[in-house]
Amino acid sequence: MPVPQRNPFAVPARLRRLQIEITTGCNLRCAGCQRTLGMASGSWRNAHMPAQRFAAILGNAPPADTIILQGIGEPTLHPDLPQLIASARAAGKFGAISFNTNALVREPAYYQELRAAGLNHVSVSVDSLNPPTAEATRAGTDCERLTETIQALIRLFGPTVTLSILLSRLNAAELPALLRRLYALGGRYVEVQPLIAYGAATQPLCLTASELALARRQIAEARAALPGLQMMPAAALTPNGNRCRRPLHAAYVTVDGFLTPCCTTNDASLFGHANLAESRFEALWQSDGVAGWLNSYVDREPAICPGCTFNPAGVPPPTLGDAEQWLRDGRLDAAEAGFRAIGGDARHAGALQGLGLVRLQRGDAAGALPLLQAAFVLTPDARTGHNLATTLAALGRIDEAVATSEHVVATYPDYVPAQFALAGMLVGRDDPRATTLFAALCERAVPAQRFDLAEQCVARLETLPAAAEPSLRLANLLRGAGRQDLALRLLQPIVRDDPDNVAARLVSAMSQLAVVHATEHEIATRRADYTSALTSLDRLTAAAAPETLAAAIGQVGNAKPFLLAYQGENDRALQQTYGRIVSRITQAAGPAPAVSLSASGERLRVGFASTYFHLHSVSKLFGGWMRQLDRSRFEVFGYQLGSDLDATSKSLAACCAEYRHGTASAAAWAERIASDRLHALIYPELGMHPLPVQLGCQRLAPVQCVAWGHPVTSGLSEIDYFLSSALMEPPDADRHYTEQLVRLPNLSIAYAALPDRGGVLARDTLGLRADAVVFVCCQSLFKYLPRHDTVFVRIAAQVPTAQFLFIGSDTPPTALFRARLERCLAAAGLSIERHVRIVPPVPVEDFSALLRCADVYLDSIGWSGGNTTLEALACGLPVVTMPTDLMRGRHSAAILQHIGLGDQVADSVENFVARAVQLADAPHRDGFRGAIRESRHLLYDDLTPVRALEDFLVTAVTLGRPSEITAAEKMRQERLAYSPA
């Protein structure tokens, strides 16, 4: 059992400072800041400290000369800041109450409120008042507003207001001018702190020893030239060789209440997760975590101290990371000196390798070789081996270079540079493995968004003999990522050398479609090219031999026209052609399983097959059918075409007579489904996932239906009926489908009320201004067509505070969409930075929290929200929508009509814009919200469509497939409850 450690330092009776991190949110993005780095990596969590936790910390803390309400965040964003300051004053423990602010969130009147609550000092961060430099150092800074607020704060608090400068290579050249400017504004107390290197990304911004010396001289000159100026340089600017003493007389508390040794770190593990909100300071001081850290602190300088702005020991010697950064920057003399200072001998592999790379960059491969060989013996890792192989190749020793690269690739299969280099060497040897390596690299590059690497791989693959299967797989991946150009480049050699290759022709046809379009002209061009490619493929497959067709079976469902429907046109004819093509391929690949019915007199056996029976819009929309079908008349079978089980899929499984799930081939699933002897099989969607498309090409039940999970006709001859909503379909809708259209009453679904997940997202974490009217536009970006971009421009022109919140990712389609909007807004003299925010997708459980950050839900014109609109209404968001000619553009209008709010539906683009502008006014929004609250209960648990679905299924099973129903029976069917009046 470990022996508890005794703290070698007595508990301080009174602290010099107590710094409490009351928030981790901020409105700026400062270069080198821990928060900025964390946000970029996705590891940062924005949070406000609850008032109750703050009060507990005050109760457990000792007295202090100063309490600072700050942390790695902007304190004025905290909604309870006046209350926190008042609590600190009421505690009676603190001589001064202060915080540091960027002074850009609140108006001066707010600081008067804080002063009345007990605030008696404020420090303002001001790295520059020159707009370009300010944007580089503290992105989002409004220099004019900052200047005005500094003057107002000096008038309010007096000249003791501290103006704090964080000095880096971005603003160091402006230091003398900035000091004079602050002095002219009335500033007399100026603090200067060098930037701390929190990692390799920050190191290039930090000042060198010579640059720190220059800053010291400039500070001294300013102190002499400006009477009354009190300069407060950080310890790193006045080095004396001593150790920092801050951990002994100051306490730093994270937003979660944990103590840390210093304000430069929020790592609660350093003090063993000692929580000041839960225990008194005296007890924590003697805890194992705090005592252990301070014991080690006595003996040696901790890892957090070298390079710290508050460390008076001086600038530390260069690290290996410093020298490597100088090498990347091309500063070869500095890099060589750094590597030699670290230990360029046989004891330090990193320095040996660095010196070898310096020589290699200077063109001295022969001099680099022994250094890299020695480094590889000491540390035989991927990077060292790759650099050694590169050097061997530069010396013409190709056999040794290939052998070294093969060893590295085999040992470190995830190290990309070695694979690329090896593939390049194999090309020179006409080794077929080069094709496999480049294809595998490209497959890894696409999901990693490394399209620079993907382009290099495609360029090399174009010059090599085509390998059909890897190229087809890669082409599908590229077109799905929005790089149809690269997909077509890969496919051209295959189609050129083998024009009867049905699989390549099918993938090539689908590669004519784009995720996001730059212009309306592009849509027309792509649609024409797709039509031509599909027509040509239709002719080819009509005459092809069965074995030629069967060879393309792997592309059925994988190469599908999912993106076609987002062009906003009636796709019936094109989908029917596509259906013929994939049906021919499927039939040639082998017969479908034999279908037999269960014994007569039994309940009808109805199956539902989908990949999306987990928490997904498909399960939310159509799960009610599975749950609510009358079990006295029907047996329900569920087929989850995947292995992921969550609470949603488990609840659906519980309501089925049989529920199959798991990973299996289409052939295995077809046998499984056919063996259950269904009367009817329903696909909630066809066109989104490959497996349902592959199954939909086969007859697995006498009656087969598709619902509107993907609201466009499937084009598949084996799908008999399209189950839709009477409220959503236009009068001429029958001509939009190859299936027989079934109009179920109302919205066609039995939608369950969503549980209140209760999550919270702060607007500032999404980059939304506090004063903005936020229009959430949260559909997939491919639903927004160029023809409607002017809608956003017209709204923004009339609502200057408008911000449109989109969801996108760091992909080429998102970049294209943003560029398209930027051009459109700029043409009207508007700024995309002011009016548009594109944020990454949030977890499913946080989606309602994202919606609640908005003021208005702005529907996508042409492809309306379905489940998204239902979730927006559950959050009480006013909806702006306009129905179009196809069902997929009419979901939201039908939803509003169903709950008695049809008068809120726009009938033109002009009316759409007018309604959005009107809802920028809070009273209008409140009125709409009230109407939603009164009527949205009508959306939930509507069993009328389910009863109609039951009647339809009985009739369809009795009468057979649509082609077998006589004209008289069709007329009778049109009078059933599930048909429109």
Side-chain angles (χ1 to χ4, degrees):
M1 187 172 180
V3 178
Q5 298 194 60
R6 179 79 182 166
N7 197 323
F9 301 101
V11 180
R14 183 179 182 86
L15 298 172
R16 293 187 188 176
R17 68 169 62 193
L18 171 65
Q19 184 165 321
I20 303 176
E21 183 176 55
I22 62 171
T23 183
T24 58
C26 190
N27 55 313
L28 301 182
R29 300 179 306 282
C30 302
C33 171
Q34 291 166 281
R35 181 182 184 275
T36 302
L37 298 174
M39 292 290 287
S41 66
S43 61
W44 192 259
R45 176 176 65 93
N46 290 304
H48 295 314
M49 178 179 285
Q52 299 91 327
R53 184 180 300 155
F54 183 79
I57 291 169
L58 294 182
N60 289 329
D65 294 341
T66 303
I67 182 173
I68 301 172
L69 281 59
Q70 187 183 345
I72 306 171
E74 169 52 43
T76 59
L77 288 172
H78 198 296
D80 301 322
L81 181 57
Q83 176 187 342
L84 302 187
I85 291 172
S87 298
R89 180 175 65 177
K93 294 182 176 182
F94 312 111
I97 301 173
S98 179
F99 65 69
N100 183 281
T101 176
N102 58 50
L104 293 168
V105 175
R106 303 290 188 174
E107 298 299 325
Y110 179 75
Y111 293 91
Q112 293 177 346
E113 179 185 354
L114 299 183
R115 186 179 183 188
L119 184 71
N120 48 28
H121 178 263
V122 65
S123 177
V124 181
S125 296
V126 50
D127 295 352
S128 178
L129 291 176
N130 177 24
T133 306
E135 184 63 22
T137 57
R138 303 174 68 81
T141 296
D142 182 334
C143 291
E144 183 177 351
R145 181 177 180 181
L146 177 58
T147 300
E148 293 171 353
T149 306
I150 289 172
Q151 292 174 306
L153 290 175
I154 291 174
R155 288 193 296 269
L156 180 61
F157 289 94
T160 58
V161 170
T162 300
L163 304 177
S164 180
I165 302 171
L166 188 68
L167 207 60
S168 70
R169 287 185 176 177
L170 297 172
N171 65 342
E174 297 180 3
L175 179 60
L178 179 58
L179 292 174
R180 290 192 298 272
R181 180 79 182 277
L182 296 178
Y183 185 84
L185 294 176
R188 293 299 179 266
Y189 289 82
V190 180
E191 182 181 50
V192 182
Q193 301 176 11
L195 177 66
I196 300 172
Y198 290 110
T202 312
Q203 182 65 53
L205 302 178
C206 295
L207 302 182
T208 63
S210 60
E211 289 165 337
L212 286 170
L214 175 60
R216 282 197 297 273
R217 186 167 67 250
Q218 292 170 334
I219 289 170
E221 291 170 352
R223 183 186 287 122
L226 303 172
L229 180 64
Q230 303 296 312
M231 294 298 303
M232 297 176 286
L237 285 166
T238 57
N240 56 25
N242 293 323
R243 293 279 298 282
C244 174
R245 295 292 184 264
R246 283 187 168 222
L248 308 180
H249 58 68
Y252 305 93
V253 187
T254 72
V255 73
D256 296 315
F258 294 109
L259 287 174
T260 66
C262 178
C263 63
T264 63
T265 178
N266 56 3
D267 185 354
S269 68
L270 297 177
F271 268 179
H273 293 91
N275 198 306
L276 192 58
E278 299 173 356
S279 303
R280 293 195 60 79
F281 182 79
E282 295 85 350
L284 296 177
W285 187 260
Q286 296 297 346
S287 68
D288 286 350
V290 176
W293 192 89
L294 287 174
N295 267 297
S296 65
Y297 177 77
V298 172
D299 300 324
R300 62 183 181 276
E301 193 171 62
I304 62 172
C305 295
C308 177
T309 189
F310 304 116
N311 185 5
V315 178
T319 66
L320 182 63
D322 296 334
E324 288 179 338
Q325 184 61 51
W326 295 330
L327 179 62
R328 286 190 291 271
D329 293 342
R331 300 166 62 187
L332 299 184
D333 290 342
E336 183 174 14
F339 288 128
R340 291 192 182 282
I342 294 162
D345 56 33
R347 294 171 298 176
H348 201 301
L352 283 170
Q353 178 172 220
L355 288 171
L357 293 176
V358 167
R359 293 196 178 185
L360 190 62
Q361 287 199 24
R362 286 175 169 156
D364 182 11
L369 183 61
L371 292 166
L372 291 168
Q373 286 173 325
F376 190 55
V377 169
L378 289 171
T379 309
D381 60 15
R383 179 169 174 259
T384 311
H386 167 61
N387 289 329
L388 175 58
T390 301
T391 305
L392 288 166
L395 291 169
R397 295 162 64 172
I398 302 301
D399 289 346
E400 294 172 79
V402 169
T404 303
S405 291
E406 287 177 332
H407 168 75
V408 171
V409 169
T411 310
Y412 305 98
D414 292 332
Y415 190 68
V416 169
Q419 292 192 44
F420 197 88
L422 175 59
M425 295 177 202
L426 295 177
V427 169
R429 295 180 152 200
D430 294 327
D431 190 320
R433 290 181 297 164
T435 300
T436 304
L437 273 173
F438 280 127
L441 269 177
C442 196
E443 283 195 47
R444 294 173 54 197
V446 174
Q449 304 299 319
R450 284 289 312 278
F451 289 103
D452 56 336
L453 177 59
E455 288 180 5
Q456 294 177 53
C457 291
V458 169
R460 300 303 295 266
L461 287 168
E462 285 180 291
T463 66
L464 299 172
E469 191 56 39
S471 294
L472 294 177
R473 185 171 61 250
L474 184 53
N476 278 324
L477 188 64
L478 285 164
R479 68 183 183 81
R483 292 304 304 266
Q484 298 82 1
D485 56 327
L486 294 180
L488 288 169
R489 282 172 56 185
L490 270 178
L491 295 167
Q492 282 172 353
I494 303 174
V495 174
R496 181 193 63 226
D497 298 339
D498 183 8
D500 293 338
N501 188 317
V502 174
R505 294 278 294 275
L506 181 60
V507 179
S508 182
M510 300 307 146
S511 299
Q512 306 299 332
L513 305 173
V515 179
V516 171
H517 302 92
T519 64
E520 284 295 316
H521 176 71
E522 181 192 348
I523 295 177
T525 300
R526 287 190 176 277
R527 194 172 183 87
D529 291 343
Y530 175 73
T531 301
S532 175
L534 202 66
T535 302
S536 175
L537 185 57
D538 188 26
R539 289 195 297 267
L540 173 63
T541 55
E547 58 272 18
T548 301
L549 292 169
I553 189 62
Q555 295 309 317
V556 172
N558 288 300
K560 57 186 178 298
F562 170 77
L563 295 170
L564 176 67
Y566 295 93
Q567 294 178 343
E569 305 290 340
N570 179 2
D571 300 318
R572 184 187 189 280
L574 288 172
Q575 286 292 87
Q576 192 165 33
T577 303
Y578 164 76
R580 281 197 304 270
I581 292 167
V582 293
S583 292
R584 289 168 184 152
I585 295 170
T586 303
Q587 291 165 12
V595 176
S596 61
L597 285 175
S598 58
S600 60
E602 293 183 4
R603 291 175 294 167
L604 293 187
R605 298 160 71 89
V606 180
F608 293 84
S610 176
T611 317
Y612 303 111
F613 283 153
H614 51 81
L615 185 58
H616 188 274
S617 60
V618 167
S619 64
K620 294 176 187 176
L621 292 171
F622 303 105
W625 288 356
M626 298 174 69
R627 295 185 179 96
Q628 300 296 341
L629 280 179
D630 184 350
R631 293 313 193 263
S632 69
R633 304 171 68 190
F634 300 92
E635 279 189 277
V636 175
F637 291 74
Y639 305 99
Q640 182 178 335
L641 310 176
S643 57
D644 294 336
L645 283 177
D646 64 4
T648 300
S649 49
K650 288 176 182 177
S651 73
L652 291 175
C655 74
C656 293
E658 297 288 348
Y659 191 84
R660 328 286 190 192
H661 76 279
T663 303
S665 66
W669 272 115
E671 290 288 352
R672 175 70 271 182
I673 294 171
S675 69
D676 283 333
R677 301 181 301 154
L678 302 175
H679 293 92
L681 176 59
I682 297 174
Y683 297 98
E685 65 83 19
L686 279 175
M688 290 162 58
H689 193 275
L691 262 177
V693 176
Q694 294 161 5
L695 296 174
C697 292
Q698 304 176 64
R699 175 62 57 177
L700 304 179
V703 173
Q704 302 198 142
C705 312
V706 61
W708 54 275
H710 183 56
V712 63
T713 183
S714 70
L716 303 179
S717 59
E718 297 296 348
I719 303 300
D720 309 314
Y721 299 97
F722 193 99
L723 305 179
S724 189
S725 158
L727 285 178
M728 293 179 189
E729 291 290 355
D732 63 343
D734 295 85
R735 67 186 186 88
H736 301 157
Y737 300 94
T738 60
E739 307 87 357
Q740 181 168 319
L741 178 62
V742 177
R743 295 176 170 89
L744 296 174
N746 302 336
L747 300 178
S748 78
I749 56 175
Y751 193 79
L754 296 169
D756 185 3
R757 302 187 186 97
V760 176
L761 284 175
R763 277 192 172 196
D764 65 287
T765 64
L766 300 173
L768 300 172
R769 299 188 307 275
D771 67 336
V773 177
V774 177
F775 295 89
V776 64
C777 312
C778 52
Q779 300 297 327
S780 299
L781 295 184
F782 41 73
K783 291 186 179 181
Y784 299 95
L785 296 179
R787 70 192 69 159
H788 300 307
D789 288 351
T790 56
V791 164
F792 307 109
V793 177
R794 293 164 66 180
I795 294 171
Q798 298 177 68
V799 184
T801 58
Q803 273 190 300
F804 302 101
L805 178 63
F806 294 92
I807 295 177
S809 52
D810 187 16
T811 60
T814 299
L816 178 58
F817 176 78
R818 190 184 191 282
R820 200 180 80 198
L821 276 190
E822 185 171 17
R823 286 194 301 271
C824 199
L825 286 162
L830 299 172
S831 164
I832 192 168
E833 284 76 17
R834 177 168 179 78
H835 292 293
V836 174
R837 286 291 299 154
I838 303 178
V839 300
V842 297
V844 174
E845 60 270 18
D846 289 341
F847 186 67
S848 58
L850 180 139
L851 289 172
R852 285 195 290 268
C853 288
D855 298 300
V856 180
Y857 171 78
L858 205 61
D859 199 17
S860 43
I861 301 175
W863 191 303
S864 175
N867 180 74
T868 312
T869 302
L870 293 166
E871 295 206 26
L873 291 172
C875 294
L877 273 183
V879 175
V880 182
T881 189
M882 183 192 84
T884 51
D885 294 338
L886 301 167
M887 183 265 283
R888 54 188 180 266
R890 303 167 69 89
H891 303 328
S892 296
I895 292 168
L896 290 179
Q897 182 182 348
H898 182 57
I899 61 175
L901 297 178
D903 59 337
Q904 298 289 343
V905 176
D907 57 7
S908 65
V909 172
E910 290 71 21
N911 191 223
F912 183 97
V913 172
R915 289 178 181 276
V917 171
Q918 185 182 54
L919 288 169
D921 184 46
H924 282 97
R925 291 200 300 274
D926 292 342
F928 202 150
R929 287 180 185 273
I932 292 169
R933 284 194 296 271
E934 291 177 6
S935 60
R936 65 186 171 199
H937 67 278
L938 298 172
L939 295 172
Y940 308 124
D941 303 318
D942 182 6
L943 296 184
T944 302
V946 181
R947 302 288 85 88
L949 176 62
E950 292 169 349
D951 292 342
F952 157 73
L953 289 170
V954 171
T955 302
V957 170
T958 302
L959 297 178
R961 296 167 62 184
S963 60
E964 298 164 358
I965 300 176
T966 65
E969 291 292 353
K970 284 185 179 181
M971 292 177 63
R972 187 176 75 82
Q973 191 180 45
E974 290 172 359
R975 295 194 295 272
L976 293 175
Y978 54 82
S979 294

